[in-house]
Amino acid sequence: MKLCMIGTGYVGLVSGVCFADLGNEVICVDKDLNKINFLKKGKVPIYEPGLSELVTKNFRNKRLNFSTDLKKSVKESDIIFICVGTPTKKGGSSADLSQIYNVTKEISSSINKFKIIITKSTVPVTTGDEIEKILSRKNSKKKFSVVSNPEFLREGEAIRDFSFPDRVVIGTNDKKAAKIMKNLYSPLISKGASYLQTSRRAAELIKYASNAFLATKITFINEIANLCEKTGINVEDISIGMGLDKRIGSRFLRAGPAYGGSCFPKDTKAIISTADKFKTNLSVVKSVIKSNENRSKILLDRIYRMLKKKLKNKKITFLGVTFKANTDDMRDSSSLKMIPWLSKKGAIIKYFDPTGHKNEFSKLKNVTNKTSIKDAVQNSDLVILHTEWNEFKSINFKNLVKGKKFIIFDMRNLYSSLKIKQQGFKYYSVGK
Ligand code: UDX
């Protein structure tokens, strides 16, 4: 079976490379010629641990190839994965599906034999129905089958998540397509992944409902953390105590800054928009979005109070600015709210991120990038541990700075309060 991945963004590239590594012949297509040439040289345009090595290995052994020719690639393949972006519509909250439908129209004129067309991008319920309608205009229904197969990859952990998924979800009622899809995923199923076959619409909704639920879990623990701060309780005890209940589970109960990234903010908005279309009120998800939007304000207010309500000329350092560790992705990172606000109030900001300089802050007054932790924290009034990179987890602050001691605000609860205080620093964390 030959596979074609359309879109070499996060989803398409990681899935394509991993499918090739499982022994399939894969062609990854993108309309961006520069990107394709870059990939052919073994260079990877996104930051994802382990990805570049897998690209080089599979490109060299010819299981993986890259092309800008969508039609030719589709004609030569049996299984087509649509992996283009579904961002939030400009000025709205629903998903912009223009890329999905443009690609569908191109596929439509290249169906020369039976093909399975799969949406791997996160798409709203009924998108598969619409794709089927478009393809039917030019092709007999016997020539294709439209399947939903959502991805659940986390940035920074994508290769492991692909190789050892909790579940593989296949949305189709077509027996022939189901058999082929199960066969494609059999190496992962035999390693223990649960395999779930559902209706196409259900598979589409499983993805949104999962992300909305995870966002709810994080937002819930963030609000409980606020209560813990007022009542002298350690939120980590609450997370452990709750997590031991198997019905709840211990993961995604880490309190911290507002959740961000390319999925949770976009998908929570999009599921509400879908529900509105079907006249259903998702009030829980609505309040999650509101609470998460308010999260940065709460943390900024704590910073304001830590600095005795004087922000002008205060030297504030951010360690990590991406939305989470092991990625260079800035999309919807809470630092994008916090740094501009603090800069506007007259604070002098330095930041260090293991993935380097960020254009997002280039135009802001008094915001500079430093290339080492030491340079970043020197002479600071306040150091904020914003992202949970491993290299921030065991800094010896006492040895690092000789002069003035700063306040540490550990937004990810990486340190023991006692140890930091013993080093002579004022220490604040989240939910304690
Ligand atoms: C997410 C989903 O996990 C993945 O299944 C989906 O396909 C894409 O979206 P990702 O955005 O890469 O993945 O990151 P994830 O690890 O889920 O974290 C999202 C946000 O939640 C980050 O801002 C992270 O810092 C925050 N988070 C996560 C917490 O604040 N606490 C937690 O306990 C877990």
Side-chain angles (χ1 to χ4, degrees):
M1 288 275 159
K2 280 191 175 180
L3 273 55
C4 172
M5 316 301 292
I6 303 178
T8 57
Y10 210 84
V11 177
L13 187 58
V14 172
S15 310
V17 172
C18 290
F19 273 128
D21 206 53
L22 288 178
N24 299 288
E25 204 177 312
V26 180
I27 180 130
C28 292
V29 179
D30 205 291
K31 59 182 181 190
D32 184 340
L33 179 64
N34 288 336
K35 211 171 175 186
I36 291 298
N37 286 337
F38 202 67
L39 283 162
K40 280 184 173 171
K41 285 183 199 146
K43 293 181 186 161
V44 173
I46 51 174
Y47 180 98
E48 181 61 38
L51 185 60
S52 155
E53 292 83 344
L54 277 191
V55 169
T56 309
K57 175 183 157 198
N58 287 286
F59 186 62
R60 276 203 191 128
N61 66 25
K62 298 197 167 37
R63 280 204 294 260
L64 179 67
N65 212 338
F66 300 100
S67 171
T68 51
D69 192 339
L70 188 146
K71 287 188 175 150
K72 183 168 175 277
S73 306
V74 169
K75 278 181 190 154
E76 288 170 0
S77 305
D78 309 289
I79 303 179
I80 323 294
F81 283 93
I82 301 180
C83 309
V84 293
T86 53
T88 304
K89 255 189 198 159
K90 278 208 176 90
S93 59
S94 61
D96 176 355
L97 298 175
S98 55
Q99 294 184 63
I100 297 274
Y101 295 137
N102 286 341
V103 160
T104 304
K105 283 173 201 151
E106 283 202 69
I107 295 173
S108 184
S109 54
S110 313
I111 299 184
N112 51 349
K113 56 179 174 177
F114 178 75
K115 298 196 190 285
I116 303 181
I117 320 288
I118 302 151
T119 48
K120 209 164 207 0
S121 310
T122 304
V123 292
V125 178
T126 68
T127 305
D129 304 357
E130 197 55 39
I131 292 175
E132 193 172 280
K133 235 190 252 168
I134 297 172
L135 296 176
S136 307
R137 283 184 207 140
K138 279 195 179 169
N139 301 281
S140 141
K141 281 201 173 163
K142 283 187 190 144
K143 277 274 186 75
F144 68 90
S145 186
V146 179
V147 172
S148 165
N149 169 216
E151 60 78 24
F152 301 100
L153 310 176
R154 285 165 302 164
E155 293 185 22
E157 322 268 350
I159 290 166
R160 203 179 51 208
D161 283 353
F162 182 94
S163 309
F164 302 97
D166 289 344
R167 78 296 208 191
V168 172
V169 176
I170 301 294
T172 180
N173 292 326
D174 176 353
K175 280 192 185 136
K176 184 176 173 186
K179 202 173 160 199
I180 295 171
M181 292 306 291
K182 193 166 185 182
N183 192 37
L184 177 68
Y185 277 104
S186 59
L188 306 185
I189 299 165
S190 64
K191 277 193 295 184
S194 300
Y195 180 84
L196 175 67
Q197 193 193 322
T198 64
S199 70
R200 192 168 59 208
R201 285 186 177 190
E204 289 168 340
L205 190 54
I206 283 170
K207 174 62 195 272
Y208 280 104
S210 299
N211 275 357
F213 188 79
L214 290 170
T216 304
K217 224 177 158 184
I218 297 165
T219 307
F220 180 86
I221 203 69
N222 282 341
E223 289 199 350
I224 295 295
N226 295 341
L227 178 60
C228 287
E229 282 162 22
K230 302 264 167 65
T231 47
I233 296 169
N234 183 343
V235 71
E236 284 173 353
D237 291 341
I238 307 302
S239 299
I240 295 167
M242 284 175 66
L244 287 170
D245 183 330
K246 288 195 179 74
R247 292 169 302 174
I248 299 173
S250 60
R251 295 169 71 189
F252 278 70
L253 279 179
R254 275 181 291 112
Y259 64 74
S262 63
C263 291
F264 289 173
K266 160 177 90 75
D267 294 350
T268 43
K269 280 186 208 149
I271 194 176
I272 285 171
S273 171
T274 300
D276 283 350
K277 200 170 128 192
F278 290 95
K279 303 202 170 12
T280 305
N281 181 18
L282 295 187
S283 63
V284 173
V285 188
K286 280 181 188 164
S287 68
V288 165
I289 295 175
K290 221 170 160 186
S291 174
N292 193 58
E293 281 173 358
N294 200 38
R295 181 83 188 136
S296 297
K297 273 192 215 139
I298 290 176
L299 297 184
L300 283 167
D301 187 54
R302 285 192 67 198
I303 293 172
Y304 179 60
R305 283 184 282 122
M306 276 170 211
L307 292 171
K308 310 236 171 340
K309 302 187 177 180
K310 281 189 195 105
L311 292 172
K312 201 166 169 50
N313 295 326
K314 288 287 179 202
K315 296 185 180 102
I316 303 177
T317 295
F318 275 72
L319 291 182
V321 287
T322 54
F323 82 98
K324 65 171 197 173
N326 298 322
T327 177
D328 60 354
D329 201 337
M330 288 294 290
R331 280 177 287 179
D332 273 304
S333 173
S334 62
S335 71
L336 293 173
K337 277 196 177 161
M338 291 197 247
I339 292 183
W341 189 85
L342 291 167
S343 142
K344 217 168 154 192
K345 295 283 173 199
I348 299 162
I349 317 272
K350 288 189 279 180
Y351 70 91
F352 167 74
D353 191 278
T355 60
H357 170 265
K358 302 293 167 199
N359 290 333
E360 286 82 352
F361 303 128
S362 301
K363 288 195 182 129
L364 295 180
K365 213 175 148 196
N366 287 329
V367 179
T368 46
N369 170 233
K370 294 289 166 189
T371 52
S372 73
I373 299 175
K374 191 172 180 170
D375 281 352
V377 302
Q378 224 54 250
N379 298 318
S380 294
D381 295 301
L382 170 69
V383 170
I384 295 171
L385 288 152
H386 175 268
T387 313
E388 71 283 26
W389 286 88
N390 277 341
E391 59 195 279
F392 300 155
K393 288 182 182 167
S394 46
I395 302 172
N396 188 325
F397 288 102
K398 200 176 165 189
N399 288 353
L400 198 65
V401 283
K402 294 286 169 253
K404 190 181 84 173
K405 296 242 164 44
F406 39 74
I407 303 168
I408 295 172
F409 185 11
D410 181 359
M411 288 188 182
R412 299 283 181 172
N413 291 344
L414 302 178
Y415 286 87
S416 126
S417 150
L418 193 69
K419 276 191 189 159
I420 296 278
K421 282 180 184 159
Q422 277 166 355
Q423 291 180 29
F425 294 87
K426 251 195 176 164
Y427 176 80
Y428 297 90
S429 50
V430 169
K432 292 179 191 175

